[in-house]
Amino acid sequence: MQDQSGKAAPWKPPPEADAAQNSVHSNGHIATQNGHDSTAAPAPDPQLQSQSSTPVPVPTATVPREQWGGKYEFLLSCIGYCVGLGNVWRFPYLCYRNGGGVFLIPYFIMLFFTGVPLFLMELSLGQYGAAGPITVWKCCPLLKGIGIGMLCVSTLVCLYYNVIIAWTFYYLGSSFQSPLPWSCEATANLGLCGNGTTGNGSTGKVLSPTERFWNERVLGVVHSKGLHDPGPVRWPLALCLLAAWIVIFLCMLKGIRSSGKVVYVTATFPYLVLIVLVIRGATLEGSLQGVAFYLTPDWGRLANAQVWNDAASQIFYSLGIGVGGLLSMASYNKFDNNVIRDTLIIAIGNCSTSFFAGFAIFSILGHMAWKKGVPVGEVADTGPGLAFVAYPDALALLPGSVFWSIMFFLMLFMLGIDTLFGNMEGITTAVLDEFPHLRMNTLHKSLFLGALCFSFYLMGLLLVTDGGIYWFTLIDSFSTSFGLIIIALFMCIGISFFYGVNQFCQDIIDMICPCPPWCIKMLLYFKACWIFCTPFLLLFILTYIFIEMYNTSLQYGDYTYPRWGKALGVCIGAICCLQIVIWAVVAISKETGTLKDRFQKTIQPLNSWRVNNLNNPERRGEQPEPERVEAPFTVTLTDMDFTAMTWEEG
């Protein structure tokens, strides 16, 4: 090759080859270099070496990612996200369904050996990668399907979670009546509270005023025969559901900075109401009977796979593991945030709230059992409506019941909105990271959020029909069951063995810099859990679930789900976890070489995974390496490639 004066170029290899190599990134992405005169080299080899080792930074979205406004906003937002309806609604009814105190044993085992380690893993992934549930898997492209699976789970949770908020809206509106429509003072309930002989016409079971209000006025389940008979839409609930989605849409438009301020109220107000309920419940006749049922374990129930399955699913449900919300919220965090400290505070505070709320509801159940003259285990249905039966019953007994009813359901509304906001953030962050142009255009982002919320509303109409509670229970039982556990299992295995548990621990130390000695010691515990304890427990539960699943029937009250309904639920869970296999096959098929070579390439992190680490003050100034070239490329050069260059004479 000669320059314009006919002299031989004084360096090798040809610069156009190096320029072509630097312009081509892995997975076929082309890095633009506008504004960089990469060929102007006054010196030969040293300049060429500098040129090739200083590539253009990895392309990022035009609009930079937001960050939490204050040091404690992320912590409080996560507390608001985790401490939600799952603490005061789902935990008590799962406890009640699984024999009371015996449920606490697998619950705390799953908390310390699966919940807390996986919680830290998600926070660390999101904070280090500064990306949503899908994009963050550039640390191990083979497992991108985990992010897709998280989106599927999060979609199912959002679909039915807002129905609970719609029920809360309905109760909140009814609470402005005096006397309360579910109290004995209401005219419609005089017969129920007078002789206690009025019951369900189909089963003859005696119904309390709160049970009658829940089944007939709110759900209308008495008009449905089962899963196959949903019946018409209950339009009062449909309007409440619409209002709930409008509130979610408005919250999502404001972004994370404003939501962090709201948590100062939503994270503290629920504790005030729960303390009042616990004090009032302790003064009721028969409350000790309910507390004894709550704390006394029935050891024989530990042999039931459903107990362990519910314990694991409740830990994941309450902490928000595996649905992408934690990962997305952590992606907006500052790089040097102490994730270990936040993990311990949030996990312990969240589960302590669940345990504390159990005293409130079981003291009330004990009082209801005393009034009816039946055992605590038979006092109410074990479905999700338990909290909408026991809590209103307690509120009706309080002095100034109307005021406390308004406060309580306002608390439930704030808890639900805060948690659902986190779940929706997981979905929107994943989509906006994959399609950055939506983030840079406010109108397009608003239209996307509006379409997403409206779609959820239309699908949720099935759950507010007369038989909607049967569909609600089906989705609730299987969306956070074995599919979610499989997703968490592959996330744990992928990070521990593909990405490398030592490298992952080093990433955490890089973020918490300087890392206190107690954090180093805690990492040893987490490392042991990630490698051995957590995968072993999850595999044990999965094996037990699949063995016993065929023999375990799904019920709501006296209704037993048909075989086709249970099969539909299994398909719901399978769709979520099958995303891992589907997208792993896609990732391997895009590579070249033997199957072993392709596998090795897909478990290697992309170099852009380290970009966020450059935000660390101690590493600022370093340059990321170019993305790896995953396959041979054929570069065709034209005359323009040569005439556009300025060649320096030797």
Side-chain angles (χ1 to χ4, degrees):
M1 182 183 301
Q2 294 182 343
D3 61 12
Q4 295 176 353
S5 63
K7 296 182 180 180
W11 61 78
K12 294 180 182 181
E16 63 270 16
D18 185 66
Q21 179 180 357
N22 284 334
S23 65
V24 183
H25 284 236
S26 64
N27 299 325
H29 295 294
I30 306 299
T32 60
Q33 302 186 17
N34 295 335
H36 294 273
D37 190 4
S38 60
T39 59
D45 290 325
Q47 181 66 19
L48 179 62
Q49 183 179 1
S50 174
Q51 172 189 331
S52 60
S53 63
T54 310
V56 177
V58 178
T60 56
T62 304
V63 178
R65 294 175 64 87
E66 293 180 286
Q67 282 192 338
W68 297 102
K71 182 177 181 181
Y72 297 104
E73 282 191 11
F74 169 73
L75 179 63
L76 291 175
S77 296
C78 280
I79 292 176
Y81 168 63
C82 296
V83 178
L85 295 176
N87 301 83
V88 298
W89 160 71
R90 200 172 190 268
F91 177 82
Y93 102 73
L94 287 179
C95 241
Y96 184 77
R97 184 173 76 179
N98 292 289
V102 72
F103 182 73
L104 298 177
I105 298 173
Y107 178 78
F108 283 107
I109 290 176
M110 296 301 299
L111 169 65
F112 290 112
F113 294 105
T114 62
V116 176
L118 291 176
F119 192 92
L120 175 62
M121 180 173 285
E122 277 207 49
L123 287 189
S124 302
L125 271 177
Q127 182 171 307
Y128 191 88
I134 299 178
T135 311
V136 78
W137 288 103
K138 56 191 174 183
C139 68
C140 184
L142 179 71
L143 300 178
K144 184 179 180 179
I146 293 179
I148 307 293
M150 286 181 174
L151 253 65
C152 294
V153 175
S154 187
T155 299
L156 292 171
V157 172
C158 289
L159 178 63
Y160 77 86
Y161 201 91
N162 218 13
V163 175
I164 308 172
I165 300 178
W167 296 339
T168 304
F169 259 135
Y170 191 91
Y171 272 89
L172 182 61
S174 302
S175 297
F176 286 92
Q177 304 178 34
S178 181
L180 293 173
W182 56 80
S183 66
C184 288
E185 287 76 14
T187 305
N189 299 327
L190 292 179
L192 292 178
C193 299
N195 51 34
T197 58
T198 305
N200 189 323
S202 60
T203 63
K205 180 181 177 181
V206 177
L207 295 179
S208 67
T210 51
E211 289 173 317
R212 182 178 179 181
F213 182 83
W214 167 249
N215 289 319
E216 297 180 8
R217 294 274 299 275
V218 180
L219 297 181
V221 67
V222 294
H223 305 297
S224 175
K225 298 179 181 179
L227 200 63
H228 63 285
D229 181 29
V233 173
R234 301 185 64 81
W235 290 110
L237 278 184
L239 293 177
C240 292
L241 184 63
L242 178 62
W245 278 116
I246 290 176
V247 172
I248 289 295
F249 172 74
L250 296 177
C251 288
M252 296 297 294
L253 280 181
K254 293 182 179 181
I256 61 172
R257 290 186 178 272
S258 58
S259 67
K261 306 296 187 297
V262 177
V263 177
Y264 285 97
V265 177
T266 59
T268 56
F269 180 73
Y271 290 98
L272 174 63
V273 180
L274 284 177
I275 290 173
V276 173
L277 289 177
V278 169
I279 295 174
R280 178 53 180 162
T283 62
L284 297 175
E285 189 72 26
S287 60
L288 292 180
Q289 183 183 354
V291 174
F293 180 86
Y294 178 43
L295 298 179
T296 303
D298 179 8
W299 300 105
R301 298 296 293 270
L302 289 177
N304 189 345
Q306 188 66 37
V307 177
W308 292 89
N309 178 31
D310 285 346
S313 65
Q314 173 59 18
I315 287 295
F316 289 1
Y317 185 95
S318 182
L319 292 178
I321 297 171
V323 296
L326 286 173
L327 207 151
S328 298
M329 295 173 73
S331 70
Y332 298 106
N333 213 357
K334 296 182 179 179
F335 184 79
D336 58 351
N337 179 66
N338 192 328
V339 287
I340 298 180
R341 176 203 61 199
D342 290 353
T343 296
L344 297 178
I345 294 175
I346 297 168
I348 294 176
N350 173 72
C351 295
S352 299
T353 303
S354 297
F355 184 69
F356 183 71
F359 284 97
I361 195 167
F362 277 96
S363 61
I364 297 164
L365 288 175
H367 176 68
M368 294 173 65
W370 174 80
K371 288 199 305 181
K372 289 185 175 183
V374 298
V376 178
E378 301 175 7
V379 73
D381 292 334
T382 58
L386 177 63
F388 290 94
V389 173
Y391 281 125
D393 196 19
L395 295 170
L397 299 174
L398 291 173
S401 57
V402 172
F403 171 78
W404 286 112
S405 181
I406 293 174
M407 289 296 100
F408 174 76
F409 289 109
L410 185 61
M411 175 197 73
L412 286 189
F413 168 72
M414 290 191 296
L415 287 173
I417 287 294
D418 218 21
T419 302
L420 188 57
F421 173 78
N423 288 327
M424 287 291 292
E425 189 65 45
I427 299 176
T428 55
T429 299
V431 175
L432 295 179
D433 283 349
E434 291 294 305
F435 304 97
H437 62 277
L438 291 176
R439 194 187 298 274
M440 55 188 291
N441 191 307
T442 305
L443 177 61
H444 290 172
K445 180 181 178 180
S446 302
L447 292 176
F448 163 70
L449 288 176
L452 185 65
C453 293
F454 186 67
S455 300
F456 276 131
Y457 171 71
L458 293 180
M459 292 186 290
L461 289 177
L462 174 63
L463 307 183
V464 293
T465 57
D466 287 341
I469 188 63
Y470 298 122
W471 288 95
F472 178 96
T473 305
L474 181 71
I475 299 176
D476 172 52
S477 300
F478 287 96
S479 63
T480 56
S481 181
F482 68 91
L484 186 61
I485 295 177
I486 291 177
I487 290 175
L489 175 63
F490 273 87
M491 179 178 68
C492 184
I493 293 176
I495 294 297
S496 299
F497 299 100
F498 293 167
Y499 181 74
V501 68
N502 291 328
Q503 179 61 56
F504 190 65
C505 291
Q506 184 60 48
D507 292 343
I508 297 177
I509 292 175
D510 288 344
M511 289 188 293
I512 313 173
C513 189
C515 191
W518 68 269
C519 288
I520 300 293
K521 295 178 181 178
M522 288 297 300
L523 276 179
L524 297 177
Y525 160 74
F526 288 121
K527 187 176 180 180
C529 289
W530 291 330
I531 295 176
F532 177 73
C533 298
T534 304
F536 175 78
L537 271 177
L538 295 180
L539 282 173
F540 169 75
I541 293 172
L542 279 176
T543 304
Y544 210 11
I545 288 174
F546 288 133
I547 291 176
E548 296 292 329
M549 184 180 293
Y550 182 81
N551 299 322
T552 304
S553 60
L554 180 63
Q555 291 183 320
Y556 175 77
D558 297 326
Y559 174 75
T560 301
Y561 281 73
R563 188 180 298 271
W564 67 267
K566 188 176 177 181
L568 180 60
V570 173
C571 292
I572 290 175
I575 289 175
C576 300
C577 56
L578 282 178
Q579 302 298 322
I580 302 174
V581 178
I582 295 173
W583 291 94
V585 172
V586 171
I588 291 177
S589 64
K590 289 183 177 181
E591 302 294 342
T592 58
T594 63
L595 183 60
K596 181 179 179 181
D597 293 337
R598 295 184 179 198
F599 179 80
Q600 291 292 337
K601 292 177 182 178
T602 55
I603 64 174
Q604 296 296 321
L606 301 178
N607 290 320
S608 58
W609 170 247
R610 302 293 172 191
V611 169
N612 192 42
N613 199 14
L614 300 180
N615 296 327
N616 189 350
E618 294 189 0
R619 293 196 164 193
R620 193 166 292 156
E622 297 182 14
Q623 295 292 335
E625 298 178 2
E627 297 282 14
R628 65 177 186 271
V629 177
E630 299 182 359
F633 287 85
T634 301
V635 181
T636 302
L637 300 178
T638 63
D639 292 341
M640 183 61 66
D641 294 307
F642 300 98
T643 57
M645 297 180 180
T646 303
W647 298 88
E648 297 290 341
E649 298 185 3

